[in-house]
Amino acid sequence: MSHHEINIAVFASGNGTNAENLIKYFNDNTESGIRVSLVVTNRAGAGVVERAKRLGVPVEHITRDRFSDHDYVMGILKAHHVEAIVLAGFLLMVPDYLLKYYHDRIINIHPSLLPRYGGKGMFGINVHKAVVEAGDTETGITIHLVDEICDNGRILFQAKVSVDPTDTPEDVEAKIHTLEREHFSRIVALTLAPDL
């Protein structure tokens, strides 16, 4: 294999469906040269822990307080040769030192068409409730680079889905999960290894 392998860390706080999809995608598409070498979570009991372990990916539990410890976190990431970070339902703000070190190499997925329904408190079902309450006829996903402002960085990709008048927030969530499965891993690959 002549090209360099890119190790990524997936940061997740919850159930871990997107993290699992990313791990499986890059396991199945080895020609991308990308590998999930680490899963980082801020919640010890998060569903992502079991998913990652089942797929043989090491997991590091880093508490909110420990995230402020530059040397501790960078030591973990460097030990796993992490060259890029993908946020998959990660509910903490990324500290400035990571934004600097991984400039333009931190990718997030958000379950709305940013700039709509972004910012503090806007995650998961909260977003879908807001969409339904507003009577929106469409919603979608946004995959974007991460900067120091929540849900603000340069948009890499958006995909839309229609919202029916009868849809519940849970219905919208199911539609969003389908879009996430369809596009997230592919856009991460295109962004980090555009020459393949």
Side-chain angles (χ1 to χ4, degrees), residues 64 90-93 108 110-112 114 116-131 133 149-151:
R64 179 190 291 268
F90 186 65
L91 302 182
L92 297 182
M93 286 294 285
N108 184 43
H110 187 78
S112 76
L114 290 175
R116 289 178 73 76
Y117 310 114
K120 196 166 172 55
M122 279 293 158
F123 58 87
I125 200 77
N126 298 358
V127 175
H128 312 313
K129 282 178 181 163
V131 166
E133 282 164 16
I149 302 168
C150 184
D151 297 331

Side-chain angles (χ1 to χ4, degrees), residues 48-166:
V48 71
V49 174
E50 281 310 310
R51 289 177 191 268
K53 284 182 176 167
R54 198 169 63 238
L55 292 164
V57 176
V59 178
E60 286 284 351
H61 171 227
I62 304 177
T63 62
R64 179 190 291 268
D65 294 341
R66 295 272 357 215
F67 260 106
S68 59
D69 185 337
H70 168 281
D71 294 343
Y72 176 74
V73 176
M74 288 306 299
I76 288 170
L77 296 178
K78 286 180 175 174
H80 292 275
H81 311 289
V82 171
E83 294 167 73
I85 295 170
V86 179
L87 308 181
F90 186 65
L91 302 182
L92 297 182
M93 286 294 285
V94 176
D96 284 346
Y97 66 84
L98 285 180
L99 292 173
K100 286 189 179 71
Y101 188 85
Y102 291 103
H103 179 69
D104 281 353
R105 285 179 296 145
I106 304 179
I107 300 169
N108 184 43
I109 189 163
H110 187 78
S112 76
L113 296 170
L114 290 175
R116 289 178 73 76
Y117 310 114
K120 196 166 172 55
M122 279 293 158
F123 58 87
I125 200 77
N126 298 358
V127 175
H128 312 313
K129 282 178 181 163
V131 166
V132 170
E133 282 164 16
D136 289 2
T137 56
E138 65 176 15
T139 186
I141 58 168
T142 302
I143 300 167
H144 65 97
L145 294 176
V146 175
D147 65 14
E148 58 283 348
I149 302 168
C150 184
D151 297 331
N152 179 71
R154 180 165 65 85
I155 290 174
L156 301 169
F157 177 85
Q158 289 186 313
K160 294 179 180 176
V161 66
S162 62
V163 180
D164 299 322
T166 54

Side-chain angles (χ1 to χ4, degrees), residues 6 34 188-196:
I6 300 169
I34 298 170
V188 168
L190 279 174
T191 304
L192 296 177
D195 302 331
L196 293 165

